[in-house]
Amino acid sequence: MLVPPVLSRSAVLRDEPLRNDTARQIEGWPQARLVVVDARGRTPVDWDGGPSDATWDAVTGGGARLHTRPTTGDVPSEGAVLLGEGDGVAYWGVRGEPDPDAGEDPSRWLDLRMAGAALDSLGAGLLTTAVAVLNWHDAAHFCARDGSPMHPRQAGWHRHCEANGHEEYPRTDPAVICLVHDGADRVLLARQPSWPEGRYSVLAGFVEAGESLEACVLREIHEEVGATVRSVRYLGSQAWPFPRSLMVGFHAEADPDVPLVPADGEIAEAMWVRRAELRAALEHGDWAADGQQGARPLLLPGRVSIARSMLESWAALD
């Protein structure tokens, strides 16, 4: 990987002892900042000059920063989640909506897909964590073992059932995503039926119970396009909280002379693409840029996806 997966960037100290240190949390609450996220995963974002990815890098992103709110009261509010600390400031995630009385513009509220790539490493780490943990809280009001109400503890990092004291922690569902290539200058891309014509990405799928990550790569690639892969190697990972996935990236080799068999209902098209064609498509940007399919027959994933980092890294090889 020549470029880091966008949502793996983080400048947040999130050590577990911080979540158990109640005295420290209360002491730092007046100076803490709130990352406010609405039910659609959006939060206010400030831009340096305007939305652009022309000067993107791993630390500063593309010129976007989270717009956080000050805290109120003397102690952390109910339902707040300690996301971590950055430069000595504690950041907490909370649910909320735009506040017109405070002059907040709803049009500046963006989600991870829209702003994740442009955020600096502090903002990317904070918002990814906030979305993931708040999504879990929304779905974990009752104990999965006895059905009794659950209440947050440890600064929002686990929930405790009131009947029998069971503990539950934020869920993460692992999924593999694999860049399949021929060992030379061709890469395998596929299109889901729900995507418009011309939109392609690498292949991915969820890990099943009792299955290793590598075994999942072999199974998913064969199920989706009929290819048998070899030389499976790990590349990197990033959270994908839509609602609670962890994307684990791999690359593997396959024989491009073996006919592809797209899985009915899952894959509309699959094809091998040469490195020069991929490079040309990457120069046009991501699939959300302008939608001019006539001028851009090959539309690739946006920068916020780990798929984009994988494709950019492979395309840069000689």
Side-chain angles (χ1 to χ4, degrees), residues 124-140:
L126 288 171
L127 185 54
T128 302
T129 303
V131 171
V133 180
L134 292 173
N135 281 346
W136 170 69
H137 278 291
D138 290 346

Side-chain angles (χ1 to χ4, degrees), residues 68-262:
T68 58
R69 289 180 187 171
T71 58
T72 59
D74 298 325
V75 296
S77 56
E78 184 177 357
V81 176
L82 178 60
L83 305 176
E85 295 184 358
D87 295 326
V89 176
Y91 291 89
W92 295 75
V94 296
R95 283 284 188 227
E97 300 291 335
D99 183 0
D101 293 336
E104 292 185 351
D105 182 356
S107 68
R108 291 176 47 235
W109 284 55
L110 304 174
D111 63 19
L112 272 173
R113 284 188 173 94
M114 299 173 68
L119 288 169
D120 58 17
S121 56
L122 175 65
L126 288 171
L127 185 54
T128 302
T129 303
V131 171
V133 180
L134 292 173
N135 281 346
W136 170 69
H137 278 291
D138 290 346
H141 292 292
F142 299 97
C143 180
R145 296 174 66 177
D146 59 34
S148 67
M150 302 284 288
H151 304 287
R153 291 189 177 180
Q154 201 182 25
W157 281 92
H158 83 247
R159 293 182 72 95
H160 189 88
C161 87
E162 64 182 34
N164 294 295
H166 300 138
E167 294 180 354
E168 294 187 7
Y169 294 82
R171 283 282 307 275
T172 297
D173 296 336
V176 300
I177 182 166
C178 186
L179 185 148
V180 180
H181 59 94
D182 67 348
D185 77 335
R186 283 181 287 185
V187 64
L188 178 60
L189 299 179
R191 180 174 72 85
Q192 295 182 12
S194 61
W195 293 351
E197 291 188 13
R199 179 183 294 182
Y200 291 88
S201 186
V202 296
L203 296 164
F206 283 104
V207 181
E208 294 184 345
E211 185 175 49
S212 70
L213 298 173
E214 293 81 0
C216 182
V217 170
L218 298 174
R219 176 182 58 79
E220 282 287 345
I221 301 302
H222 190 265
E223 286 181 356
E224 293 191 346
V225 296
T228 299
V229 299
R230 60 185 180 276
S231 301
V232 178
R233 295 291 184 270
Y234 174 73
L235 285 175
S237 66
Q238 77 167 22
W240 192 246
F242 306 111
R244 60 189 187 201
S245 297
L246 173 69
M247 304 302 298
V248 186
F250 292 87
H251 72 98
E253 295 183 21
D255 185 351
D257 294 325
V258 175
L260 300 173
V261 184

Side-chain angles (χ1 to χ4, degrees), residues 6-20:
V6 166
L7 299 187
S8 70
R9 299 174 301 135
S10 180
V12 183
L13 176 66
R14 48 183 292 169
D15 294 352
E16 185 175 2
L18 297 176
R19 304 166 190 168
N20 295 317

